[in-house]
Amino acid sequence: MKRLLLFVMMCASISFVFAQKKGDKISKVITSEIKWWGHKVVKTKPTSHYGSLKLKSGKFTFDKTVLVDGEFVIDMRSLVVADLSGDDQVKLTNELKGTNFFEVKKFPTAKFHLKKIIPLANSEYNSTIVGDVTIKGIRKTISFPANAHITQFTVEIESSKFSLNRKDFKIFYQNSLKDYFIKDEMDIQFKLSTQKVDNERPL
């Protein structure tokens, strides 16, 4: 029994060491902006809504000077509807945060794990971003164009406006005709920048 316990402790120690060595620098996100758009079946200004979200935390991990990955946590409770005011704004905000849509009480955060940045040539955007997005506990791999600039341990990314299928994340009215009047695609666009952290260990 003692030998088994010692073996488990050794394995845990090795795993921890490997985790510590994954990256020797962390670059924290210091500024960010996230915009969203939702559309009814007829995609015109009067039938579209838009707003913003806030990033709760974000960081990029570097192995020496090579970008390894990025992790970002979005505060879904920060969701704001920007094109309405008064009672209409409150009503739609509460509806989007409620059980038919993002269920923010049960799922207060969404996440994006950046897996790689692929350079593009002769394009409006210089890169393709590939990563996993998790909304309402459901993870999907996505990709989208962006302008990404990486200098030493500083990162700046401005994405294109790209679409997610809301039904992939179970965002829809339950047994209601209202759902047929909403487009499945919801649009997202974001930009962020980081600041170098001068320590040798990941946070």
Side-chain angles (χ1 to χ4, degrees):
M1 184 66 181
K2 288 183 179 180
R3 288 183 179 179
L4 178 60
L5 181 59
L6 180 61
F7 176 74
V8 171
M9 291 176 67
M10 287 176 63
C11 289
S13 299
I14 292 170
S15 298
F16 180 75
V17 170
F18 286 161
Q20 290 288 314
K21 288 184 177 180
K22 184 177 181 181
D24 61 355
K25 291 286 184 180
I26 293 293
S27 187
K28 279 189 173 182
V29 174
I30 55 169
T31 63
S32 62
E33 182 181 44
I34 306 171
K35 297 179 181 179
W36 62 264
W37 291 263
H39 309 281
K40 293 183 180 179
V41 173
V42 180
K43 193 172 181 178
T44 62
K45 286 185 178 180
T47 59
S48 299
H49 293 294
Y50 61 88
S52 64
L53 288 159
K54 291 182 179 179
L55 195 69
K56 186 175 182 180
S57 64
K59 65 179 182 179
F60 293 88
T61 303
F62 288 83
D63 184 355
K64 296 181 180 178
T65 58
V66 179
L67 179 63
V68 177
D69 63 16
E71 293 182 359
F72 312 94
V73 179
I74 301 162
D75 184 359
M76 296 305 297
R77 295 169 296 186
S78 70
L79 187 149
V80 171
V81 176
D83 64 294
L84 298 175
S85 61
D87 292 342
D88 290 335
Q89 183 186 47
V90 172
K91 181 180 178 181
L92 181 57
T93 299
N94 290 338
E95 198 164 13
L96 292 174
K97 292 182 177 181
T99 55
N100 288 314
F101 287 90
F102 292 103
E103 292 188 81
V104 300
K105 287 185 177 179
K106 186 176 180 180
F107 304 100
T109 61
K111 296 180 181 180
F112 179 68
H113 177 210
L114 187 152
K115 297 167 72 174
K116 57 184 174 180
I117 299 177
I118 303 171
L120 290 176
N122 303 319
S123 175
E124 180 182 357
Y125 296 93
N126 67 15
S127 304
T128 295
I129 305 291
V130 181
D132 294 332
V133 62
T134 302
I135 302 174
K136 294 179 69 173
I138 300 170
R139 184 176 64 185
K140 298 287 182 181
T141 299
I142 63 171
S143 63
F144 51 86
N147 281 320
H149 302 283
I150 304 168
T151 307
Q152 287 292 329
F153 305 105
T154 301
V155 181
E156 293 182 357
I157 295 178
E158 184 169 357
S159 80
S160 63
K161 184 188 286 189
F162 62 95
S163 297
L164 298 176
N165 190 317
R166 63 188 177 90
K167 290 186 176 179
D168 286 344
F169 305 95
K170 297 184 179 180
I171 300 170
F172 50 77
Y173 282 105
Q174 302 288 338
N175 302 318
S176 174
L177 289 176
K178 289 182 180 181
D179 203 64
Y180 292 100
F181 296 97
I182 304 172
K183 290 183 71 70
D184 290 345
E185 294 77 20
M186 53 185 184
D187 295 335
I188 305 290
Q189 188 173 30
F190 71 87
K191 59 182 177 180
L192 56 84
S193 61
T194 71
Q195 180 177 358
K196 177 183 172 183
V197 177
D198 290 321
N199 62 318
E200 296 296 327
R201 293 182 180 178
L203 299 178

